[in-house]
Structures are given as C-alpha cells and as structure tokens.
C-alpha cells in the first residue's frame, strides 16, 4: 500500500538532490558538476541530455524514472513537483527518458539519457520541472502493510525562446484582528508573466492623514515564484492603532516587475464598511491620489500585467457627451486617433485605437456620447453606442471629475447594470481639474450608484489623460480582462480608420474651434477625393485633397467662411498641419462649404454623409 511520496531536492544546492542513499543529478559536462539542468530551446526544437542516478548503498536499487512539472506549494510557496500519476502539461509531458526503470548496482552510478521536444506552439518563457528517481518498491516500515516511497529529483529549468516579460500582482490584500492588539495581514503574490521571479516585498501602514505607522520587509516569501503561480502569504502586524483607521499596503518587486495593493484596516468591524470608504476618501484629499479598485476599500497600483498566453480584445469607452472619452483614447494609444473638442457630441462614430503591449493588444473603441436625442442623427448615434457595448469584452464608463453625477449618468449606468457578463470599469476622468477631495467624493458616488443598482464595478479608476496620471494603470487593469488571443492587428497599426475618414475628422475638428454653441452639431465633412499631384518630382510629392464642409442652413455659411474667407482659411491651415503629420506628405487642401438642409433630420442626407 502506498502511503505517500517524499520528493526531495527542493533546496538551492546540488547536494539537496541526495537523500543519503541515492542522488539524482545532471550528468557532468566538460566544465564539471552541474547543480541543475539549464536548457533552452525554440518551439519545435528538441534537445538531449543525461541524468545520473548514483546508488550510495551497499545493495542494488531499482528506480522508476519520470519527468515532472513544477509548481509552488500552497503552504509556503516552496518548489514542488507533480507526482507520477498527476497530469503533465509542460516539461513533464515534453520529456522522454531512454529508460523508465533502471537498476543501479551498489556503490555505482548510471547515466540515463533523455530527449526534451518543445511543441511548435509552446509558449515562450520558463517551464520549470525535474527528472525524478522514485524507488521502485516501498522500503520496510515499522507498520505492516504500509510503505512510504521516496523520490529524489534533479531540477530542470527550461527556457522556451521568444518574448519574455516579468509581471507580478499583489491580490486580495486583507487585514484581520487576531486577538489582543495584533492583526494578521494576508495577501496573494501572483506571477502573471512567463518567467520565474524572485520576489521581495514590504509592508507599510499609514493613518488617515498620512501618518506613518509601519514599514518593514516581509519575510517568508518564496525563493522562486514560478510562472502562473499564486501563493497566499500572511504576516503579523503587532501593534495596529486601536482607534484610528489605517491604510495597509504591500509593495512587491521582482526582477523588473513591481506591484502594489492597499486595504483599509479598522479596529472595529463597523468601520470597515461605508465609513472606512469615506475615511479613505478623506485621506485621499491629503495625499497623492492612488489607484482605486472596484471595492473602494481596496486599491491597487500594478505594473503592466503581462499574462501568458497573449490576450487581445475590444474595450469601449461610454458616457455622456464631453466626458473625456476621446482624449483618454488618444492618451492610451499615444497619438491622435480621435478628434477632440470642448463641444459636446464631437464623436459621431466609433473610433478604434490600438494599444500594443508585450502581454496584450487593447483595441479601444471610442463611442459617441449617449444623450437624449433631439434629431434622427442623435438617435442613430445612441444606437451605435448600444450596439458597441453589446459586442466588446470590457466596458469603461467615463464620468468627469468636475461634474456631479447627474440623471444622464444614472441612466447610462442603469443600462449597463443590465449587461451581466461583460466586466465594467468606472473611470473618473479629468481629475486634473479638481482637488483630490472632489475626486474622492466622485469615487464614492459612482461606487454607491452601482450598489443601488445591484452590481459591482470590476474596477474604479481615477485618471487624467491630459496630466498622464494613471493612464497606464487603466491599461494594466483592462488587459487581464481581455480574452486569450493572438494580436488582432499588425504591429504598428494604431487605428483601423480609413485615411479619408481621419482626414475628414481632422477638418471637422479644426472647424469646431471658435464657432457658436449651436453650430457644431450642424457641421459635417466629406472628403471627395485624395489624389497625388501628377508630374511632381519624386522628392517633392504633393497630395491634392478635395473636401466639402456641410452645414444645415445658408445663414451658417457666413460663420464658417468668416469675413473675406478668413475663418475658412484658418480651418484649412490648422487641419492641413495635422493631415500632413498623419499622412507624412505635403498636402494641398481644397475646401468648399455647402448646404445640406436639415441633414441631421433627413434620412437621405444622413446616408449621403455616412451616418
């Protein structure tokens, strides 16, 4: 009867792969003894090596040999191996030993070769495992009928060549009072990347007004956190404040990756609910604004979360008109793909911006502002928004920090509450325009609104696209929510917008500047043709662009053209500058102003103008 298997060789030296009776080590190479196997191979490639099994006893021993996958133990994060009957998915499945059983004479060593064949579609990065020698028969024991098999293993560190990226997350940080005056801090370290990490972590705590309470390194971390592994860890906080609410933070770093998570702590459970959230927001008014999570009492600030395998998908930004959706899209992409204006309803169709990351490709869909429609155009724009959020992988609801949560916001959130399966992120935009206290109030308001409607935000994130504050964090939060997928667009593509559409939008953006409030909704631009000028020298190309700028009434012509054509000339000069930057070539822009009477309400005119 098999009572258990003891897998040795988990320590950091070659001598650890030895139980005093036999040892398992990589066969010596020309440089001498090797502590572990360090192998590298490309997908589709095979490598060969040999393992040495040395019998130190005075009688022959028979061993069962197999290759195993490695993992981190739940108890302390130690290096552990799958048993011989457990499923093998990586190194253990890819390794074929020349002999599955071997008898080693007394005081003798035997070499056994093996071939490791990496599949064509193997993920790049680290795939740790081991070659294990398991005694073939249980040793004699004092209890009749029970045997304990021992196994000794030589670690095998395999690196599949290709892109590698370290990424680390601190998850589910909690603090619990544990009798007396002490508290227990528990958290999970999660290796999100595709390389082995050697983590370090620090525990800090601060009072409601930023007063430092604690700062010390955390002991007991795993020596190696393997790719994809999670380890739950605890630490003791000996003297937390008895009456004061505190913010506890765990900051972890490892080999180019960093992560941070925070949680509220209060001596009395009643303070850990809405009151704690309110205190946290008061504290935010006195200190630099941190990242906010969907649970308000737990905030996170993570480095780029690189998952393996690659993720790709669509995330849309929705909200009232002029909520900062287009500016945020541009900031995430790193260049202008959507036009912006301080006028509401600037965006009239979905604009896709593409963010390329090592771990993911984010296709951001900027949508028109959802509003109470007064025209057929407004109705169609609202239909575009609803059709978009029904098809994407993540929905980002944008709420400006400088505007109170209003009926329009509540209407949109109520509709979003009916979308059950798609994760929803609340994004507080324009945080650079208000004080931290106002941002905190907005965070609490949007959190409470979701609670009233019976759902929970996946995250709540305050950002400033203009100030580049927490824009990268937003991308870090969206990426893990996307499905596993190869890139959807080629590297280097920043949008899938046709050039003629982008040129038309740049002209409309220039036309929107400086006009009266009622006119922006009446402006539409159509590019009729873009033709290279003939008979130009190869080093002096010129692109002729002919475009029509439509308004709804003859009386609006004078506003767009301006005195002696000055206004239209200014529109041409400003838009041409952006068009040339977009296309990378000199441009001659020919603009004409035309009247399409009441086009916002005319189905035929809307079709003609592309709506």
């Amino acid at each position: 009867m098999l009572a258990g298997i003891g897998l040795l060789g988990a320590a950091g030296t070659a001598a650890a792969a030895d139980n005093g009776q036999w040892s398992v080590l990589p066969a010596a190479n020309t440089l001498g003894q090797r502590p572990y196997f360090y192998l590298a191979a490309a997908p589709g490639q095979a490598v060969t090596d040999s393992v040495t099994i040395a019998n130190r006893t005075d009688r022959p021993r028979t061993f069962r040999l197999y290759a195993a996958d490695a993992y981190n133990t739940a108890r302390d994060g130690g290096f552990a191996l799958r048993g011989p009957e457990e499923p093998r998915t990586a190194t253990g499945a890819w390794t074929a030993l020349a002999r599955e059983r071997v008898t080693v004479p007394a005081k003798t060593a035997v070499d056994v070769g093996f071939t490791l064949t990496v599949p064509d579609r193997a993920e790049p990065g680290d795939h740790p495992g081991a070659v294990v020698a398991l005694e073939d028969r249980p040793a004699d024991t004092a209890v009749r009928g029970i045997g304990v098999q021992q196994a000794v293993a030589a670690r095998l560190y395999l690196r599949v060549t290709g892109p590698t990226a370290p990424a680390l997350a601190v998850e589910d940080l909690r603090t619990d009072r544990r009798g007396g005056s002490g508290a227990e801090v528990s958290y999970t370290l999660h290796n999100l990347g595709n390389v082995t990490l050697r983590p370090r972590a620090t525990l800090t705590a601060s009072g409601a007004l930023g007063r430092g309470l604690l700062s010390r390194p955390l002991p007991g971390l795993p020596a190696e956190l393997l790719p994809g592994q999670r380890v739950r860890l605890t630490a003791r906080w000996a003297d937390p404040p008895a009456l004061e609410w505190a913010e506890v933070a765990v900051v972890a770093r490892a080999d180019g990756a960093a992560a941070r998570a925070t949680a509220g702590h209060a001596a009395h459970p009643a303070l850990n609910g809405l009151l704690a959230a309110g205190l946290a927001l008061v504290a935010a008014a006195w200190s630099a604004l941190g990242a906010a999570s969907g649970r308000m009492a737990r905030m996170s600030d993570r480095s780029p979360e690189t998952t393996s395998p690659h993720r790709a998908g669509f995330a849309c930004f929705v909200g009232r008109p002029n909520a900062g959706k287009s500016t945020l899209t541009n900031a995430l992409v790193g260049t202008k793909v959507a036009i912006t204006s301080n006028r509401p309803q600037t965006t009239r169709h979905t604009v896709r911006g593409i963010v390329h990351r090592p771990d993911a490709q984010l296709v951001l869909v900027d949508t028109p502002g959802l509003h109470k429609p007064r025209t057929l155009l407004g109705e169609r724009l609202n239909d575009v928004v609803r059709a978009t959020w029904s098809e994407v992988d993540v929905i980002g609801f944008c709420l400006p920090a400088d505007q109170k949560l209003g009926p329009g916001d509540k209407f949109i959130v109520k509709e979003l509450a009916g979308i059950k399966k798609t994760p929803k992120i609340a994004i507080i935009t324009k945080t650079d325009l208000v004080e931290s206290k106002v941002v905190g109030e907005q965070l609490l308001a949007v959190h409470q609104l979701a609670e009233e409607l019976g759902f929970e935000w996946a995250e709540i994130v305050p950002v400033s696209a203009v100030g580049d504050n927490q824009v990268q964090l937003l991308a870090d939060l969206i990426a893990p929510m996307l499905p596993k997928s190869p890139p959807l667009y080629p590297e280097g593509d920043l949008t899938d917008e046709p050039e003629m559409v982008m040129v038309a939008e740049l002209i409309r953006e220039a036309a929107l500047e400086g006009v009266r409030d009622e006119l922006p909704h009446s402006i539409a631009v159509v590019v009729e043709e873009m033709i290279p000028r003939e008979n130009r020298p190869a080093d002096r190309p010129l692109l002729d662009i002919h475009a029509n700028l439509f308004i709804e009434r003859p009386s609006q012509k004078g506003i767009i053209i301006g005195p002696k054509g000055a206004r239209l000339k200014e529109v041409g000069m400003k838009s041409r500058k952006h068009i040339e930057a977009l296309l990378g070539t000199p441009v001659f822009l020919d603009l004409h102003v035309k009247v399409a009477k009441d086009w916002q309400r005319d189905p035929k005119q809307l079709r003609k103008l592309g709506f």
Side-chain angles (χ1 to χ4, degrees), residues 234-441:
T234 59
R236 181 75 176 172
W237 184 9
D239 52 354
L243 299 176
E244 183 180 3
W245 181 89
E247 182 184 76
V248 178
V250 170
V251 180
R253 293 181 175 84
D255 308 316
R260 180 176 183 267
T262 62
H265 173 80
H268 303 288
L271 290 178
N272 281 321
L274 186 60
L275 177 58
L279 288 170
L281 296 176
V282 173
W286 293 82
S287 62
L289 185 62
S293 79
R295 291 173 177 79
M296 298 301 299
R298 188 174 77 244
M299 298 183 181
S300 61
D301 184 8
R302 292 179 278 233
S303 63
E305 295 191 352
T306 305
T307 61
S308 181
H310 189 274
R311 294 179 181 270
F314 294 82
C316 73
F317 294 143
V318 302
R320 287 187 287 109
N322 206 27
K325 303 180 293 295
S326 299
T327 304
L328 181 58
T329 299
N330 292 337
L332 283 161
V333 175
T335 190
K336 180 189 285 289
V337 295
I339 68 169
T340 59
S341 168
N342 59 359
R343 306 296 181 183
Q345 298 179 36
T346 299
T347 303
R348 287 186 177 156
H349 64 287
T350 56
V351 177
R352 282 182 285 273
I354 304 164
V355 180
H356 300 274
R357 296 162 51 106
D359 61 325
Q361 187 182 80
L362 285 61
V363 184
L364 306 174
V365 187
D366 179 27
T367 65
L370 199 65
H371 63 289
K372 186 175 182 179
R374 294 181 296 177
T375 64
L376 180 58
L377 172 64
E379 293 176 6
R380 292 190 177 179
L381 295 183
N382 283 351
D383 291 341
V384 166
V385 178
R386 294 186 174 96
T388 300
W389 72 33
S390 68
E391 297 174 350
V392 297
D393 304 297
V394 181
I395 300 172
F397 168 64
C398 294
L399 175 67
D402 63 338
Q403 300 177 31
K404 291 287 187 180
L405 190 70
D409 300 303
K410 294 177 181 178
F411 175 79
I412 297 172
V413 175
K414 187 175 181 180
E415 289 206 26
L416 294 179
I419 304 172
K420 301 301 183 183
K421 294 184 178 180
T422 308
K424 294 169 280 292
I425 299 176
I427 306 167
I428 310 302
T429 61
K430 307 183 182 182
T431 58
D432 55 299
L433 300 181
V434 297
E435 296 180 354
S436 297
K437 181 180 179 181
V438 177
V439 176
E441 293 170 351

Side-chain angles (χ1 to χ4, degrees), residues 163-199:
T164 58
L168 182 67
V170 180
E171 301 172 341
D172 196 19
L173 175 61
R174 299 181 184 181
T175 64
D176 297 294
R177 178 89 38 191
R178 284 290 184 266
S181 61
E184 182 181 85
V185 179
S186 59
Y187 61 99
T188 296
L189 285 184
H190 186 186
N191 185 344
L192 294 161
N194 62 352
V195 294
T196 299
L197 300 177
R198 294 166 179 78

Side-chain angles (χ1 to χ4, degrees), residues 132-216:
V132 184
L134 174 69
E135 63 178 342
D136 194 44
R137 295 180 180 178
D140 294 335
T141 61
V143 181
R144 186 176 180 180
I146 297 179
V148 178
Q149 285 183 292
Q150 291 188 7
V152 179
R155 295 194 202 184
L156 193 160
Y157 292 94
L158 170 68
R159 169 67 60 87
V160 176
T161 58
T164 58
L168 182 67
V170 180
E171 301 172 341
D172 196 19
L173 175 61
R174 299 181 184 181
T175 64
D176 297 294
R177 178 89 38 191
R178 284 290 184 266
S181 61
E184 182 181 85
V185 179
S186 59
Y187 61 99
T188 296
L189 285 184
H190 186 186
N191 185 344
L192 294 161
N194 62 352
V195 294
T196 299
L197 300 177
R198 294 166 179 78
R200 311 175 302 280
T202 303
L203 175 66
T204 63
S206 57
L209 299 180
R211 182 172 64 89
L213 303 173
L214 173 70
S215 180
R216 64 177 174 85

